Each structure stands twice: as structure tokens, then as C-alpha cells.
Amino acid sequence: TERAGSEDSVVKDVSAAASNALADQNGNSFWQPLRVPAGSRHEFVECEERDSLAVLCRLLRECYATPKANKEKEEMIRNPPRAIVYASSAEKAIEVASRLQNALWNSFEGDATAGLWGLSVLLPSAEEPLNSRTTDNKTLTVLESSLRVMEMFRANQTSVLVTTASATRGLDFPQVTHVFNLGIVGAPVDYLHRAGRIGRVGQSERGAVVSVLGPAEVPQLLALGEELRFSPEQREPPAATNFSAELDSDSAVQALTDLFNLY
């Protein structure tokens, strides 16, 4: 009993010391509540889980669509979009990257010589290549060595990085404009870690965090917004391609490719 009382006393002393360390000489606390980066946009798209990957694919196409106006096109060339997609696990990240690459292979301009065509995947431990698709006798891979993937994304040789939160913890990637959370809300600290990838020091655009969520996950995000003092805005899912007699051949091929790879 005497030892337990002594341990309680030590805990109280440590707590008091920590409180004093977080206060100035007038007793004002230095502690600040958790908040998302100022100026960033936070959006969510609600859909059924079976449609989530197709919705993500269409969101990425919107993000990387070439503007028609020359001024906007020049701005996009100077500051190209750079996106990080967060999956819930390493296994999910591999699946998402492979299926997205097959659907988006003709949508992004990447480093063709690297064999990634604008998309790569970073996992906590990724050293062996994973073959995802073969075309023109060339094997495209979504899984390369971790160091190689980080160097390529940092050097703008790939446009989209599919990963997990644990794989990117402590890493800094410049000029990230979009973060996509695929079916993830998580704890406040986890959300802050992912949201902190946009709007880094020296970045001209603050960027956006877009969460693709199921109906059951939306209340979690809204509650998280209250805690972190941001208001996530709901946006409608991008429209899927409807098959019709007026559909041109390229759009028809893209729609069939999406059905094959994303569902």
C-alpha cells in the first residue's frame, strides 16, 4: 500500500511538472488544440463500397484533366497536380494501385522509361516487384523498391502515389496538391497526418483532402470535423459514362475498361 501511494505521488508530480512546462510564467497554457492546416479544403464523396474504386478513378481523372483555357493549361504545366491515395492496409494499397493503373494507363503522363506510367505504390516494406499488367511485351509494375518509389515521386516522375499512413510517416513529399482517403477516417491524429501532406511550406496552392466513404463512415468524418474544427463539404460523385448510341469509340473503350478493372 505504501509503495502504491508512492507511485501515485510520482505520477502526480510528473503530471504537475508537465502542466507547468506547457505554461508560461503567468500560468497561460502553451497547449493548442489539434487543427487541420489552415486554408486547405476538406471534401467527401459518399458511395457504396463496391463503387468506391470507380469513384476514386473518376476523381483522379478530373484532377488531372487538361484544362481547355491556355492560361490554365500553362499553370498546370508549371504546377502539375500531385496526389497521394491512402488505402487502409498494405494489401489494399497493392490491389488499388494495380487496378487503378490498368484503368488509368492512358490518362496520365508519367515517366514511361520507368515503367510506372504516372502511378506507383509505397508500402512499409516493398522490395520485390509486383507484375500488374503486360502490354507491348513490356511489364508494368506497381510495386518497386521503397527508395526508388520515393525518389520517383519526389522527382515528379510519377503523378500518383498509392500508400498507407504508416509507410509515409516521417517522410516529406513537396508540392502535393491532393490527398485521397479511400474508405478511411481514423483518429484525429491519423487524419491530421494525412491532411498535413498538402500545403507544405513554400507551396503555392493549399490543396484538398478528399475522402471516399461509405454511408456508415460519413458520420465519423463529420464528428472528426467538429473535433478538429473543420467542416467537410459533400460533393457529388463524378458521373459515370453511360452507354448510348452517341458514345464515341474512345469513351466506350474507357467505360468497358473501367467495368473490367474497377468492379
Side-chain angles (χ1 to χ4, degrees):
T1 305
E2 181 177 349
R3 181 178 179 181
S6 175
E7 290 177 349
D8 289 343
S9 176
V10 170
V11 171
K12 290 179 180 178
D13 290 343
V14 171
S15 298
S19 298
N20 291 335
L22 293 174
D24 61 19
Q25 60 183 358
N26 297 320
N28 299 316
S29 176
F30 292 139
W31 180 83
Q32 296 292 332
L34 296 175
R35 293 186 181 181
V36 296
S40 55
R41 304 193 316 274
H42 298 264
E43 304 170 338
F44 70 93
V45 178
E46 182 179 341
C47 64
E48 297 297 331
E49 183 178 359
R50 66 177 180 273
D51 300 321
S52 61
L53 194 55
V55 168
L56 173 62
C57 182
R58 293 196 292 271
L59 287 169
L60 286 169
R61 284 196 180 114
E62 283 189 354
C63 176
Y64 287 88
T66 303
K68 295 182 179 180
N70 290 332
K71 185 177 181 180
E72 294 177 355
K73 189 182 298 184
E74 291 173 359
E75 176 61 26
M76 186 175 185
I77 293 173
R78 286 195 302 269
N79 299 296
R82 287 165 51 78
I84 297 180
V85 176
Y86 282 103
S88 57
S89 66
E91 293 77 12
K92 186 68 173 178
I94 294 173
E95 177 193 357
V96 168
S98 180
R99 294 169 67 184
L100 276 180
Q101 186 183 48
N102 288 337
L104 296 171
W105 67 273
N106 61 348
S107 299
F108 298 153
E109 294 181 1
D111 182 4
T113 61
L116 296 181
W117 296 93
L119 185 150
S120 56
V121 59
L122 176 64
L123 304 177
S125 178
E127 300 300 332
E128 296 299 324
L130 175 72
N131 297 336
S132 64
R133 181 174 62 87
T134 302
T135 181
D136 296 332
N137 297 320
K138 293 181 180 179
T139 301
L140 306 186
T141 61
V142 294
L143 187 54
E144 294 269 323
S145 115
S146 298
L147 182 59
R148 175 172 167 78
V149 168
M150 287 187 287
E151 289 176 346
M152 293 183 68
F153 188 67
R154 186 184 297 274
N156 258 341
Q157 292 177 310
T158 57
S159 305
V160 182
L161 181 68
V162 182
T163 186
T164 63
S166 59
T168 58
R169 196 170 298 279
L171 301 178
D172 181 32
F173 295 110
Q175 303 299 323
V176 174
T177 58
H178 294 76
V179 165
F180 294 93
N181 297 314
L182 186 60
I184 307 174
V185 178
V189 173
D190 297 329
Y191 188 91
L192 280 177
H193 164 67
R194 298 191 302 270
R197 296 296 160 182
I198 59 174
R200 311 291 271 194
V201 175
Q203 189 166 333
S204 58
E205 183 180 345
R206 298 305 294 178
V209 181
V210 184
S211 300
V212 180
L213 305 174
E217 296 160 334
V218 171
Q220 301 175 34
L221 180 64
L222 297 178
L224 196 68
E226 292 183 3
E227 184 171 351
L228 297 178
R229 302 187 182 187
F230 72 92
S231 300
E233 297 183 6
Q234 183 172 9
R235 58 182 292 182
E236 291 299 317
T241 303
N242 293 320
F243 288 95
S244 65
E246 293 79 20
L247 198 64
D248 62 79
S249 59
D250 289 342
S251 298
V253 169
Q254 179 176 289
L256 289 172
T257 302
D258 288 354
L259 284 174
F260 180 78
N261 290 296
L262 303 176
Y263 289 93

